[in-house]
Amino acid sequence: MSIHEAEICWYQKPHDTDEKTYSRNHVVTLNGNQKLDVSASVDFKGDPDCADPEQMLVSAVSSCHMLFFLAIAEFQGFKVESYQDNPQGFLEKSLKGGMEVTRIILTPKIVFGGDKSPDQEMIKKIHERAHKNCFIRNSITASVEINHS
């Protein structure tokens, strides 16, 4: 078991473009004193220069999947030279009537090096194992699809 903590700080200030409401901007502080400027998504009066919680959720799923993929590939004797993903999350009306991230699509592009390269079937199996074991994916209700080439 492990514990994961963050600090969220928001202070009242006027919205930059809508005088009738407040700024959604806040700062998230993570381990190592990394600070991330966060706001609501632009669709909800957020700042386009900041990350939004939905982006962070989508990137957390992608990052977790990647880390498991790398570990499994290494265990299988494959050397990954690079891994790039441009994940997408879809905020949609749910069957419960509210809004939620209903699905996330990962589109990883992986380059292997070394003497041993996996075939497409092995790559699919590594993705399946990473998908099954990803802590973040196992913690959410959104469906996660992996489109790999």
Side-chain angles (χ1 to χ4, degrees):
M1 184 180 108
S2 58
I3 298 172
H4 305 269
E5 299 175 328
E7 179 183 81
I8 311 296
C9 289
W10 173 87
Y11 298 100
Q12 172 66 41
K13 74 177 203 176
H15 192 278
D16 284 346
T17 60
D18 186 347
E19 63 200 36
K20 297 176 191 158
T21 192
Y22 57 90
S23 171
R24 275 71 171 157
N25 293 16
H26 55 285
V27 175
V28 174
T29 304
L30 306 170
N31 292 349
N33 205 30
Q34 302 123 340
K35 295 188 184 299
L36 182 60
D37 292 326
V38 179
S39 190
S41 76
V42 174
D43 295 334
F44 297 96
K45 300 188 183 215
D47 184 336
D49 293 330
C50 296
D52 66 52
E54 295 80 14
Q55 289 172 321
M56 293 191 305
L57 174 66
V58 170
S59 65
V61 170
S62 176
S63 179
C64 184
H65 181 88
M66 178 197 70
L67 291 169
F68 270 103
F69 186 95
L70 295 175
I72 294 164
E74 180 181 64
F75 182 77
Q76 296 289 331
F78 302 113
K79 181 180 180 183
V80 177
E81 292 291 336
S82 66
Y83 185 111
Q84 181 181 346
D85 192 6
N86 296 97
Q88 293 180 306
F90 296 84
L91 182 66
E92 302 171 315
K93 193 154 186 115
S94 74
L95 297 175
K96 298 174 261 182
M99 297 292 286
E100 64 183 58
V101 175
T102 58
R103 58 195 170 103
I104 297 170
I105 299 175
L106 308 180
T107 54
K109 305 287 184 246
I110 304 150
V111 175
F112 292 91
D115 298 329
K116 184 179 176 187
S117 289
D119 61 19
Q120 287 301 312
E121 187 60 32
M122 178 55 75
I123 292 170
K124 180 181 176 190
K125 287 180 183 179
I126 297 170
H127 276 301
E128 288 170 354
R129 287 185 57 203
H131 182 74
K132 180 181 176 190
N133 288 291
C134 173
F135 305 142
I136 307 299
R137 202 262 328 150
N138 288 334
S139 302
I140 63 172
T141 58
S143 67
V144 178
E145 179 183 324
I146 302 134
N147 293 337
H148 59 88
S149 51

